[in-house]
Amino acid sequence: MRIDTSLRTPLTKNIRAGTSGAVPLDDYRKNGGYRGLQKALTMPPRDISKLVQDAGLRGRGGAGFNTGLKWSFVPSQEDYSGQRYLVCNADEMEPGAFKDRYLLERDPHLLLEGMAIAARAIGATRAYIFLRGEYPLAAERLRSAIAEAESASLLGPGVFGGKFSLQVHLHRSAGNYICGEETALLNALEGKRAIPRAKPPFPQVSGLWGCPTVVNNVETLCNLPHLLMLGAEWYRSLGRGKNAGSKLFGVSGRVKTPGLWELPMGTPIREIVEQCGGGMQPGYQLRGLLPGGGSTDFLGPQHLDLAMDYDVIGKAGSRMGTGTILVLDDKTCPVGLVLNLQRFFARESCGWCTPCRDGLPWVVDILERIEQGHGKKQDLDLLQELAHRMGPGKTFCALAPGAAEPLESSLNLFLADYVAHIEQGSCPYAQNTAPLMETI
Amino acid sequence: MATITIDHRPYEVDDGQNLLSACLSLKINLPYFCWHPAMGSVGACRQCAVVHFKSAEDTRGRLVMACMTPVNHGDLYSINAPEAQVFRAGIIENLMTNHPHDCPVCEEGGECHLQDMTLMTAHTQRRFEGLKRTHKNQYLGPFINHEMNRCITCYRCVRFYQDYAGGTDLHAFGRNHQIYFGRQENGQLKNGFSGNLTEVCPTGVFTDKTFSRRFVRKWDLQTAPSVCEHCGVGCNTAPGARDDGKGDPRKLRRVVNLYHRDINGYFLCDRGRFGYEYTNSPQRLYQPLSATSEPLICTTANGEEKIQQPLAPGDAIACFADLVDEALHNKRRLIGVGSPRTSLENNFALQTLVGRENFYAGVSAREMALLKLSDQILQDPQLYSPTTPEIEQADAVVILGEDISNSAPRIALAVRQAARQVQRQRADALHIPQWQDASVRELESGSTPIFIASVEQTDLDDIATDVLHTAPQAIVEFTKQLTAQLHVASTPEDKPGTLEKVAAALRAAKNPLIVCGTGLLSQPLLAAAAQLAQTVACQHSSKRCALYLAFPDTNSVGLVQVSSATRNLDSLSQLLDNSDIPTTLIALETDFYRQMHTSAADKLLADVQLIHLDLLHNATARRADLVFPAAATPESEGTLINSAGLAQRHYCVYEGSGYIQESWRWLANVAAACAARAGGVEKIPQLGEIARWEHVTQLSDALAHAYPPLAPLAELGPEWNALLDGERVARQPHRYSGRTALYAETAVAEQPPPRDSDAPMNFSMEGIPFAGRDPLQTHNWAPGWNSNQAVHKFLTQVTGEIQGGSSGLYLQREPETFETFETFETFDHTASPGEAQAESDTFVPVPLQRLFGSGELSNAAEAIASVLREPVAQFHIDDAQRLQLNSGDYVRFRGFAGKFQVTVGDAAAPGCIGFITGYTSPLPTGTLPAGDIERVTSNTPGGSG
Amino acid sequence: MPEPPPIQQLSADEIAEIEHEAAAYPTRQPLGLEALRIVQQYRGWVSDGALQALAHYLKVPVAELDSLATYYQLIFRQPVGREVMLLCNSASCWVMGCSRVQKHIRQQLNIGPGETTADGIFTLLETPCLGDCDKAPVMMVGTEMHRQLDSEKIDALIRALRERHHSED
Ligand SMILES: Cc1cc2nc3c(=O)[nH]c(=O)nc-3n(C[C@H](O)[C@H](O)[C@H](O)COP(=O)(O)O)c2cc1C
Ligand code: SF4
Ligand code: FES
C-alpha cells in the first residue's frame, strides 16, 4: 500500500464522521495501521528516539516537553538491564479538556500502536494505560482492542512473530485530578495514595517500582504511528508555525458549534473559535478565553490572532496546555468562573504541600465573599499574594501553579469585574449566571 | 567539604547533604516542619524556602526548598532575602488558617515547634476570615492524646510511625485540606514506639496522656540527664519533675528522649517513655517500715506476709545497726543480695558492708550463668557490640531466639532501619541522596537479608527475609548448622535452602550482625550464637563481627562485673538450707518472688531476718522485717552498664519524696551509726570506708579501683564538687516559675533548695542552665527553639555527636580469645530451653518477652498497668488441638502457681508452652508433662467460658 | 438507605477478579486499590465490613486500605443510591449552566451534592470535568453520559430511572 504523504490529519484519519464506534482492527490495518510499529521494529531503539526528537513532537499532556528528548533520559541497555515501563496517561481531568476521550473511544488501536512504538524505543516490555474511572466506554473499547491486538500478535509476546514483546495492561483509576500528574500517577498505579513524587529522580530514571519509566499523554502517543511511517520532515511540515505536527484543538463555552478538530499546530485562535466553533452564540460577546484548560492563564480578545503553538502562547503569558479552548462570554461572571476553577483545584489538591493545601481553600473563601458581594479592596492584593505563593517552584508539584495561572491572569484581565463586585456589593452578572453552586 | 555562601558569608559544609541540615549544623536558624533529622526530607511543608542564586551576577535568584537542595561547592544562597522571608511567613500564615490557636490549653504550648516557627518567621497577624475546618478526635489508648485540629499536615507522624517504626495502624486519611491522621477506628496505638509521636509531632496533635494527667509547662520542669531503667539498652532520657507544693509525693511528671547518638538517637520505646509512672505508684515506699508483733484488729497481710508499721528513719537505722553490730561480733551472719536493676554504687555499698563472700547476685543460677557467659563472650576481641548507627548500617542480620522488639526495643528499631540497606545502596547507585527520604523509599529493591529464628511471631517478622518459628532446641540446632555451613565452600545451587541463603548472606556482608541474648534463658543458644559470630569474624576481612547480646536489666552487665558466678539465689538457698547461724538477709532492690518460685522464695525467707531496700511495696517487702524506701533511678545518681558494655551515669532529677534516699546512703547511714557506737570509724576498719562515704563519686572511684574492668568509672562524669565556668548546673530552666508561691501555704519565706552532694548541679534555677558541652546538659532550649528540636544546637552536627562527645565510657573487659564457647563451664542447670527435647507428652516451657508485661518496674506504671493482660500460656495450634485447648481457656500447671489464659498461635513453637516473663514468678524449670496441665475453665466457641 | 449488602466475606467472583488484576503487576501492593474498586463494583460501596474482609483477604492492615479508600473519590465509604449521578461541575459545564441543572435536581429530588434520596435510588455527586466539554452541561449516571442537559432532559431521565427501579422492586 502506498503511503500518502499529503496526509494532514494523522490523528483522526481513521475516524469516520457520523459514526460513533471505535475503528475496528481490520479497518485500522487496511488503513496502514501497525505499519509504523512494523517499521519501528526494524530500527534500533535509539534511532526511534532520535527520529521523534528531530520531528519536534512535544508532549500533548500540557507541558509540551520534547518527547524524543524525554525518552533519551532513560538509561541505555548497557547501563541498566532491568525492567522498564511505559505508561500512557489517560487521566484527562483538566477542566475544559476533552481531547483524549475522543481518541480513546474512537481509535484505540492508534494509541496501542503508538504505545508499542514508544515501548520499543525505551526498551519497555510492560505498559500500562492509566485510564480515569469515569471513562467506562473507553475502558471497554480499549480492553477489546488490546485483546484483538494480542490475538493478532500485534501486542503480547512476540509482536509480529519477532523478539519484541509488550504486555499492555489497562488500569482503571478510582479518581482524583492529581493522578494525572505523572509522578502521582505512578504512586496511584502502585496502589498508593496518589501524592506526587520529588523530582529528581525523574521517572525516566526511577519511576514505577523504582524502574525507568516514561509517562506519555494519549495524544502524544497517537502521533507516533504516522510519524514513524512518514518521517520527521513530513511531521514537521504538518505544523503551520514553528511547532511541528497536527493537534486536536477544541472549543467549549458559548460558541455556536462547540467541538473538537484536528488542525495544524499553529492554527490561530481566531480560526479555531470563529471558523471551527462558528463564533459566539447570538447575543454573546467574547470576554476572554482559557487556551488550554483550566490551569492556563486567561487570554483576552486581543489575543485572538495568536497562533496556537507552545511558544507563541507562552510568549503571550499563557500556556497552550491541552489545546482545548474554553471561551468566556460577556454574560458570564469572570469572578464566578475563577471561583469555579479554584474550588476545583482546592478539592483536587492532594494535600501534600502547604501553599496548595491551605492556600486554595483560602482563595476560595475570598472569592466566595467577593462573589457574594462581601469583598474588600484588600482582598485583591491578598489574592495576588496567595497566587504568587502558589507559583512555580514554590509548591511540590504543578497543580497549584496551574491553579494560580487563571487566578493571577484574571486579576489583570478582569480587574474591573472584581472591583465592581466589591464596590457594588453584589455580583453584576447575577441575573445571567445561576446562583453559586452547592458543594459538599 | 564544600564552601557555600549564605547571605554573603562563606561556610564550610559537608557536601552532598541538604542545605537545611547544613544550616542547622552551622547553627543557623531556618524554619522547617516536615524534615526530621532521623527521617530526612520530603519537601512537603515548604517552610524551609531560601533563595538560590545561579551566579554572582544573578541578583533575583530562585526560591528553593533548603531541605530538598543538595549543597555543592560554590553555591550561593540567601536566607534573609525578602522574597524568602515573605514566603516563609506566608507558609506559616497558611498553616495557621485552620489551627485552633488554643495554645493556652494545649500541652505542647511552651515547647511547640509550631510556636517557635511562627515566631521565627514573624507571622503575627491573621488575615484568613473563613471558617476553620474541624475534625473529630480519636481515643488512641492510655498513652497518647489526639487533638487533630492542631494538625498542620507535615506528615511527620505517619512517616515516623509507618516508615520508620513499621507501625500499621496509624495512617493518613482523606485528601486536600481534610487530611486526617489517625487510626481506622478508636483504639490503642499498637506500635511500641508510639510515644515518639509526642516528640515527632511539631504541634499538639499527639501529646503524652500520662503527662497531661499531672501537667506542667516544660519550663516548670526540673530535669537532669538520666538513663532508662527499663531494659539493658540504656537509652538516655530526660525525666522532668515538679513538686506541686501541696504535699503530693508524686513528683515525676514525664520522661522524654535525651539524645545519645550511639544508643537512642532521637527515639525511645514506649516502656521507656511511659514506664516512669512506677515512681508515682501507690505501691511506692516513702518511709521505713518495720514488722510488728502487736496484734492488729484486721490486716490485709496474708500468708507469710508481715504486719508492718512506719518507723522513724533514725530508729530504722539503729535497728539495722544493731544487726550489723551482732555480725561484727560474729553472732550473726549478714548476707547481701544485689540487684541488676540498680546502680553499681548501690550494689557496691552492700557488697562492702557484707563482704564479697557474702554478696549474692539477686538472680537465679540459671540467669547468672547466662549473664556470665554473655559477658565472657563479649571479651572476645573478635566480637563487638555495635552502636545503633552501626546496627542501622548492617547488611546481613541474623537474630537468634531473642525477641528484641520486646526485650531491647530500641535495638529492634535500629534493625528495622538496617532492613533498608539494599534500598539505600540502590539509591547510591542512582545518585539519589540518602536524605531524600520518599525517593529512596520508593525504590523497589531486594531486601537486606534478615533472618529471624524465634519461638513465636515477632514484631520484626515483617522485615525478615526468612523466619523460623520453632523450639529453642531447633534454634540452637539451626545456629550450629549455619556455622557449619559457613565452613563449607559456597556451592552454587539452583535452589538454596534457608541455611545456604543465610550463610551466603553472612559471607557476602560488609557489616554482618548477629543478635542474641539471654531472653530464651538458653546457654547453648548463646554459645552457638557466639560460635557463629566467631566464624563470621574469621571469614570477614576485618576479622571482626558485630554481636549484639541483649541483657535483661538496666545494669545486668554491671552486676556481673562485681558478682561471682557461684553466688546467686540458688546457691544462697542451698547455703541457708545447710546452716543454722542466725542470718540477716539484706535485699537490695530485689523481689525474690519475681526471681524465684513462690515456694522457693518462701523457703529461702523462712528462717532469716529480712531487711529490704526497695522502691515498691512488693511481695518481698511485705515479708520483710525492716523496709527502707530506696531512691529510683531518676531520684539518684549512679552508674549503669548497658548491654553494649557502656558505663553511663544517671543523675538525680529530683529528690524522692518522704524519706526516700539512695540505697547506698541508707547503708552508709547504718555504717556511720555502727562507727559512732564503736567510738569512731577507725575502730571498725571493715566498715570505715562506707561510713565515710558522702558522695556517690567516692563509690564510683572505689569501684574503679576494686574492679579492673570498671576502671573507666573514675573518669566518668564530673566530680560532685566540679564547677563549670565557676558555677554549678541548674536543673530548673531559666523560666522556671512559682518557686516562691509553690510553698506559700506552708511558709512565706522561700525554702532553700536541697543541696546535691553527688553532682555539681542545683535543684534550682541558680547556675548554668545550658551545660552545652557537658554531659550534664539536658535543657533542650536555645533562643527561639523551645521545642525539642533545639537539640541541634547542642550537637556537632545534625545526627552527630553531642558537642562534648557522647557520654559514657566502655567497660574494659579483659580481652580473651576463646577457641570455642562450647566448653564454657556453666552452672549445673536442669533442662534449660535449648537443651530439653520435647517429647510427645511433655512440653518445654519457653519465656516470652512483652514490652508491657516483662518489665518489673514498668508494670507498676499506671498507664502500662492498665493495658497488661492476664498471664498467658501460649500453645502451638497443633498442640492445643491435641490437648483440646482453645484460646481463652484457663489452665493451671501442677506444681506451679497461678492460672493462665490459653492463647493459640500457628507461629508459636511446637512442643513448647510460652509464658510471658515478668508477670510474677519465673519460668517453670524442666519440662511440663501433658498430664500436669489442668483446664480450669473452658472457652469453647459458642460456650460461655 | 439501601441495606448494606451481606459482608465479612468476599465472593468467589470478587476474588477471581482481584486475582485477575494481580497478574498485571509485579507486586501485590497495587491490589488494595484495585480490590476496593472491584468490591465497590459488586456492592455499590465499601462498607466497614467489606473493608475488613478485603484487608483480611489481602493480608494488609485495614487502616492502609481505608487510607486509600478515603483518598480516592470514586471509592465510596458511605452507602450510595442505586443510581449515582456524577454531575460535572467544572469550568465549561459551569459556563454552560450546570448550576441550573444542580438546582433543578434539588427541586425535583430534594438532594444536593453528596446526598441520597430517601427512597435510596439517587445519589448526586459533583465530579471533576468529564471530558465532554463541547456538550456541556453533562452528567454521567452509571456508565451512561447525558449531554447538553436541560430541565426536560433531567425530568425524563429521572422519570425513566425511577420507573426502572420501581418495576424492579
Ligand atoms: C495536576 C496535574 C494534572 C495532570 N493531568 C494530566 C492528564 O490528565 N493527562 C496528561 O496526559 N497529563 C497530565 N498532566 C501532565 C503530566 O504530568 C505529564 O506531564 C504528561 O502526562 C506527560 O506526557 P507528555 O509528555 O506526553 O505530555 C498533569 C499534570 C499536572 C500537574
Ligand atoms: S501542589 Fe502540593 S498539595 Fe497541591 S497537588 Fe501538588 S503536591 Fe499536592
Ligand atoms: S522542611 Fe523543607 S519542605 Fe518541609
Side-chain angles (χ1 to χ4, degrees), chain C residues 3-7 42-45 47:
Chain C
E3 277 296 308
I7 40 173
Y42 281 87
R43 305 175 187 217
W45 66 291
S47 65

Side-chain angles (χ1 to χ4, degrees), chain A residues 177-178 181 184 194-197 345 348-358 360 390 394-401, chain B residues 43-44 46 155 176, chain C residues 71:
Chain A
Y177 169 62
I178 189 64
E181 198 284 333
I195 308 287
R197 298 177 175 182
F345 290 117
E348 296 302 321
S349 162
C350 79
W352 178 248
C353 72
T354 309
C356 174
R357 179 190 62 240
D358 293 334
L360 284 166
M390 296 189 292
K394 295 180 176 130
T395 55
F396 194 80
C397 86
L399 183 141
Chain B
R46 319 307 277 178
Y155 288 84
N176 56 44
Chain C
Y71 184 81

Side-chain angles (χ1 to χ4, degrees), chain B residues 502-576:
Chain B
V502 181
L506 283 175
R507 226 183 261 128
K510 266 209 211 99
N511 302 310
L513 167 66
I514 315 289
V515 178
C516 193
T518 62
L520 270 191
L521 303 176
S522 170
Q523 288 180 56
L525 178 60
L526 274 168
Q531 207 93 49
L532 173 66
Q534 279 182 328
T535 310
V536 174
C538 289
Q539 298 187 354
H540 196 267
S541 58
S542 71
K543 296 290 164 218
R544 269 156 63 86
C545 177
L547 172 67
Y548 192 91
L549 294 184
F551 288 78
D553 287 295
T554 186
N555 199 23
S556 299
V557 180
L559 182 66
V560 169
Q561 308 310 315
V562 299
S563 307
S564 143
T566 53
R567 281 194 283 273
N568 48 57
L569 293 180
D570 293 84
S571 59
L572 178 59
S573 300
Q574 281 170 7
L575 175 82
L576 297 181

Side-chain angles (χ1 to χ4, degrees), chain A residues 11-341:
Chain A
L11 296 169
T12 54
K13 78 158 210 262
N14 299 324
I15 303 170
R16 299 262 167 289
T19 61
S20 61
V23 178
L25 179 57
D26 281 351
D27 291 7
Y28 183 75
R29 291 194 77 172
K30 259 186 238 136
N31 244 339
Y34 287 103
R35 298 274 288 272
L37 171 60
Q38 218 163 4
K39 170 119 185 263
L41 293 180
T42 64
M43 295 167 68
R46 206 166 303 158
D47 291 1
I48 308 177
S49 295
K50 182 83 180 23
L51 173 69
V52 172
Q53 192 173 338
D54 290 348
L57 170 58
R58 294 171 64 167
R60 304 295 196 236
F65 194 79
N66 183 301
T67 304
L69 188 60
K70 181 166 173 174
W71 293 352
S72 69
F73 300 134
V74 174
S76 66
Q77 286 292 349
E78 297 87 78
D79 289 344
Y80 173 84
S81 60
Q83 186 65 251
R84 300 136 191 271
Y85 295 97
L86 172 76
V87 178
C88 166
N89 189 342
D91 197 50
E92 188 170 61
M93 234 184 272
E94 173 87 9
F98 52 102
K99 62 183 186 67
D100 295 341
R101 176 202 275 271
Y102 186 73
L103 293 170
L104 292 162
E105 289 181 358
R106 303 303 302 278
D107 201 357
H109 282 291
L110 184 66
L111 174 63
L112 294 180
E113 184 181 356
M115 286 180 71
I117 294 168
R120 165 77 181 168
I122 62 164
T125 54
R126 270 172 172 252
Y128 294 94
I129 302 173
F130 188 93
L131 181 70
R132 70 178 291 199
E134 296 92 337
Y135 281 5
L137 183 62
E140 195 185 302
R141 292 182 174 175
L142 281 168
R143 198 173 290 136
S144 55
I146 293 170
E148 276 179 325
E150 278 176 356
S151 56
S153 287
L154 301 166
L155 288 181
V159 173
F160 285 115
K163 268 197 238 137
F164 177 67
S165 61
L166 178 66
Q167 195 186 51
V168 177
H169 178 73
L170 176 68
H171 172 95
R172 296 192 56 188
S173 172
N176 301 12
Y177 169 62
I178 189 64
C179 295
E181 198 284 333
E182 61 180 347
T183 57
L185 182 151
L186 299 179
N187 276 334
L189 257 181
E190 290 183 13
K192 303 174 182 159
R193 290 163 62 89
I195 308 287
R197 298 177 175 182
K199 293 190 251 188
F202 289 91
Q204 293 95 306
V205 175
S206 170
L208 271 183
W209 297 288
C211 302
T213 303
V214 165
V215 180
N216 274 136
N217 171 257
V218 172
E219 189 186 351
T220 312
L221 293 165
C222 286
N223 273 289
L224 297 172
H226 291 92
L227 197 167
L228 259 278
M229 270 196 301
L230 301 177
E233 200 176 316
W234 165 81
Y235 188 79
R236 280 196 303 271
S237 80
L238 289 179
R240 276 214 228 163
K242 276 216 212 104
N243 287 179
S246 62
K247 166 97 191 69
L248 292 184
F249 289 114
V251 187
S252 67
R254 298 233 173 252
V255 292
K256 283 192 199 122
T257 52
L260 186 70
W261 309 274
E262 181 175 7
L263 301 169
M265 192 62 115
T267 304
I269 299 176
R270 190 183 294 282
E271 253 182 72
I272 304 172
V273 174
E274 293 181 355
Q275 285 172 22
C276 302
M280 298 303 290
Q281 288 178 6
Y284 291 92
Q285 301 256 311
L286 183 137
R287 279 295 310 279
L289 54 91
L290 292 166
S295 58
T296 56
D297 297 79
F298 278 102
L299 293 178
Q302 68 272 32
H303 296 117
L304 274 176
D305 291 312
L306 294 182
M308 278 291 261
D309 91 15
Y310 295 104
D311 306 314
V312 174
I313 301 292
K315 232 180 248 148
S318 185
R319 290 187 308 119
M320 199 179 73
T322 57
T324 43
I325 298 168
L326 168 61
V327 169
L328 170 70
D329 57 79
D330 61 341
K331 301 250 164 41
T332 300
C333 176
V335 178
L337 178 57
V338 176
L339 168 59
N340 174 280
L341 288 167

Side-chain angles (χ1 to χ4, degrees), chain A residues 80 176-178 187 190 192-193 195-201 205-212 345-359 361-362 365 369 376 379 382 385-386 388-390 393-397, chain B residues 42-47 62-65 68 83 86-87 89-98 127-131 133 152-155 159 171-179 426 430 432 436 438-439 441-445:
Chain A
Y80 173 84
N176 301 12
Y177 169 62
I178 189 64
N187 276 334
E190 290 183 13
K192 303 174 182 159
R193 290 163 62 89
I195 308 287
R197 298 177 175 182
K199 293 190 251 188
V205 175
S206 170
L208 271 183
W209 297 288
C211 302
F345 290 117
R347 201 172 86 112
E348 296 302 321
S349 162
C350 79
W352 178 248
C353 72
T354 309
C356 174
R357 179 190 62 240
D358 293 334
W362 191 356
D365 180 73
R369 276 192 291 107
K376 298 186 297 263
D379 285 343
L382 191 50
E385 205 182 322
L386 290 172
H388 185 70
R389 204 178 283 168
M390 296 189 292
K394 295 180 176 130
T395 55
F396 194 80
C397 86
Chain B
V42 290
C45 72
R46 319 307 277 178
Q47 186 62 69
R62 195 172 62 91
L63 217 55
V64 295
M65 299 307 130
M68 297 296 273
E83 192 196 354
V86 168
F87 182 76
I91 291 296
I92 288 277
E93 184 177 33
N94 278 8
L95 292 172
M96 297 303 284
T97 55
N98 289 306
R127 294 189 288 177
F128 176 66
E129 295 178 21
L131 293 176
R133 61 111 178 78
I152 56 160
T153 328
C154 69
Y155 288 84
R159 290 182 55 224
H171 269 269
F173 298 97
R175 59 176 181 142
N176 56 44
H177 75 304
Q178 299 286 355
I179 296 217
R426 174 131 170 75
L430 290 173
I432 302 171
Q436 209 176 320
S439 306
R441 285 181 191 275
E442 257 135 29
L443 297 176
E444 197 69 26
S445 61

Side-chain angles (χ1 to χ4, degrees), chain B residues 87-223:
Chain B
F87 182 76
R88 293 195 302 258
I91 291 296
I92 288 277
E93 184 177 33
N94 278 8
L95 292 172
M96 297 303 284
T97 55
N98 289 306
H99 190 77
H101 294 80
D102 60 341
C103 309
V105 297
C106 175
E107 286 93 329
E108 195 81 358
E111 54 179 322
C112 175
H113 188 57
L114 178 59
Q115 284 181 331
D116 288 351
M117 299 299 104
T118 306
L119 249 86
M120 195 174 287
T121 57
H123 162 62
T124 49
Q125 242 197 334
R126 182 173 184 77
R127 294 189 288 177
F128 176 66
E129 295 178 21
L131 293 176
K132 295 174 184 178
R133 61 111 178 78
T134 50
H135 291 296
K136 284 192 184 135
N137 300 319
Q138 288 182 317
Y139 169 76
L140 298 178
F143 304 115
I144 309 279
N145 191 58
H146 193 219
E147 179 41 90
M148 251 313 284
N149 292 316
R150 297 176 184 143
C151 178
I152 56 160
T153 328
C154 69
Y155 288 84
R156 267 201 205 170
C157 56
V158 283
R159 290 182 55 224
F160 170 76
Y161 195 87
Q162 289 176 17
D163 296 352
Y164 198 89
T168 57
D169 59 334
L170 181 83
H171 269 269
F173 298 97
R175 59 176 181 142
N176 56 44
H177 75 304
Q178 299 286 355
I179 296 217
Y180 188 92
F181 298 100
R183 296 187 81 248
Q184 209 263 329
E185 52 185 10
N186 284 347
Q188 187 190 332
L189 286 166
K190 293 204 189 98
N191 190 277
F193 298 93
S194 67
N196 294 299
L197 292 174
T198 65
E199 294 199 45
V200 159
C201 172
T203 171
V205 177
F206 300 100
T207 50
D208 179 341
K209 245 188 198 172
T210 69
F211 182 35
S212 294
R213 264 191 262 130
R214 309 192 60 249
F215 181 76
V216 293
R217 293 285 178 211
K218 173 186 179 176
W219 64 71
D220 283 341
L221 285 171
Q222 177 172 300
T223 57

